Amino acid sequence: VLDGRAMAAAAVSALTEHGPDVPRLEAVLAQNPKLAAAELPSGQTLLHVAAAVGAEGAVSTLLAWHGDPLAFDRARRAPLAVACAHGHVACAEMLMDALDAKRLDILLAMADEGGWTPLHHAACSGAAGPVRALCARGAAEALDRCREASVTTPLHICASNGLDTAIPELAARLPPEALDARDLGGRPPLVLAATEGHARAARALLA
C-alpha cells in the first residue's frame, strides 16, 4: 500500500512518463480520490500537470474526480493558464467548460504573479488557437478589468513572437488604445513587431 506522497508521485508519473496513462491514473485515484484536488509538493495540482502535457483524457478524468480548475500554483496560475501557455487548446476548452460563466469571467480577469492573465499565456504559446479560444469566451474584455495586468499586453506578445494569425482577433476585441499601448520598453506593438523583424505581424497590426 502506497502512502500519500508515494501515491501523488505515482499519479504524476502516470501523466508524464511514456505519455499520459489514464487507466493508471484512474487506478491511483481509486485508491485515494482526494489526490484529484490535492496540492503536490511542487505547489501544483494534477490538473496543472495534465494541462501542461496536453493530456485531454487525464484532464477529463481529473475533473470527473473533482479536480479543481480554480486551484492556483505558487505563481498564482490556474490549470487554464498552464494549458494556454503550452498551446493545448482542447485542454483549455475543457477547463473553461468546467466553470460556470461567472467563475470563468473572474478567472479570465485574474493575473498571476508576473501580471499575466490566461490570455497573456495564450499569446506566448506561439499558437493562434489558444488566443482564439479564450477570445471566444470573453478573455479580451476581461483583460480590461484586470488591475494587476502587466503593461506588456497580449498584443505585444503576439507582435514580439510574430503570431500574426492571432493579431486580428485580438485587435478586434481589445480597446482601440491597445494598439498604442507601451510595453516596459516604451514600445507599442507595431514598433515591437518591426524591431523583431516580424513583417507579417506588423502588417496585421496595420490592417
Side-chain angles (χ1 to χ4, degrees):
V1 178
L2 299 177
D3 62 21
R5 184 175 291 272
M7 291 182 73
V12 172
S13 176
L15 292 172
T16 58
E17 286 187 7
H18 313 299
D21 187 339
V22 175
R24 185 178 164 199
L25 173 64
E26 290 177 329
V28 175
L29 293 174
Q31 294 182 63
N32 187 348
K34 292 183 179 180
L35 274 178
E39 181 178 319
L40 302 172
S42 65
Q44 295 186 319
T45 67
L46 289 173
L47 263 180
H48 286 92
V49 179
V53 299
E56 298 165 32
V59 169
S60 177
T61 295
L62 288 164
L63 290 171
W65 283 82
H66 306 295
D68 186 2
L70 288 177
F72 294 92
D73 63 16
R74 290 170 187 162
R76 285 192 356 214
R77 289 186 295 257
L80 175 60
V82 175
C84 290
H86 289 84
H88 299 311
V89 182
C91 289
E93 293 278 14
M94 295 168 69
L95 290 162
M96 289 190 286
D97 287 342
L99 298 168
D100 61 40
K102 183 178 180 179
R103 291 196 298 167
L104 177 59
D105 191 54
I106 292 171
L107 179 59
L108 292 174
M110 291 183 68
D112 62 17
E113 287 189 346
W116 280 26
T117 67
L119 189 56
H120 285 83
H121 287 286
C124 196
S125 72
V131 174
R132 291 174 179 152
L134 264 64
C135 282
R137 304 292 187 107
E141 293 79 5
L143 178 64
D144 196 44
R145 300 192 301 276
C146 181
R147 296 182 179 180
E148 298 177 340
S150 168
V151 296
T152 299
T153 69
L155 209 51
H156 285 106
I157 297 169
C158 284
S160 178
N161 291 340
L163 196 56
D164 57 286
T165 53
I167 287 174
E169 184 85 28
L170 278 174
R173 292 178 179 268
L174 290 171
E177 55 267 25
L179 289 169
D180 296 318
R182 266 49 174 179
D183 66 3
L184 291 172
R187 299 166 297 183
L190 179 59
V191 170
L192 193 57
T195 301
E196 298 292 340
H198 299 308
R200 287 188 296 185
R203 286 195 293 270
L205 288 162
L206 289 169

